[in-house]
Amino acid sequence: MTNQIIVKMVLDAWHSKIKEADNIFDNLTDEQLQNEVASGRNTGVYLLGHLTVTHDLMLSILNFGQQIYPQLYPLQIDFRKIRFDYLEVFRHQVF
């Protein structure tokens, strides 16, 4: 297998997983996203923020370009410590 084929396979898999996550998050209400995924666990909004920050960081790590949402990195760290309307903060930072 050539390197180009391997890179294409990895990127296709990455895009496929992003699409799957999009479908999951798109079908949840704001209230559902604010619930913990399990007792004592992170909320759906935290997980969405975590995925957004992680994938955004991957752009620069893989030399695909600059981060699109660098303003979310400090917010993501705060998500673990502060409990308030995460969804509203996330919306204002991204959109």
Side-chain angles (χ1 to χ4, degrees):
M1 240 186 252
T2 68
N3 287 345
Q4 288 179 332
I5 293 173
I6 293 170
V7 168
K8 182 179 179 345
M9 288 172 53
V10 169
L11 290 176
D12 286 348
W14 185 14
H15 289 132
S16 174
K17 293 302 177 185
I18 290 172
K19 194 176 282 189
E20 285 179 35
D22 281 347
N23 288 334
I24 291 168
F25 286 113
D26 286 346
N27 289 311
L28 296 173
T29 65
D30 292 353
E31 292 77 26
Q32 288 173 315
L33 286 171
Q34 292 179 28
N35 291 332
E36 293 176 339
V37 296
S39 181
R41 299 294 183 171
N42 295 319
T43 64
V45 174
Y46 172 85
L47 295 175
L48 177 60
H50 176 76
L51 289 171
T52 302
V53 168
T54 301
H55 285 263
D56 198 41
L57 288 169
M58 293 298 292
L59 295 174
S60 59
I61 291 170
L62 297 173
N63 291 322
F64 289 159
Q66 297 292 326
Q67 288 178 254
I68 299 170
Y69 304 111
Q71 73 275 18
L72 289 181
Y73 187 72
L75 181 63
Q76 179 65 16
I77 293 168
D78 290 345
F79 273 170
R80 296 180 214 180
K81 299 176 185 172
I82 302 171
R83 297 190 67 89
F84 56 95
D85 190 353
Y86 300 136
L87 191 58
E88 198 58 34
V89 172
F90 184 74
R91 275 198 184 125
H92 290 314
Q93 291 292 324
V94 175
F95 304 106

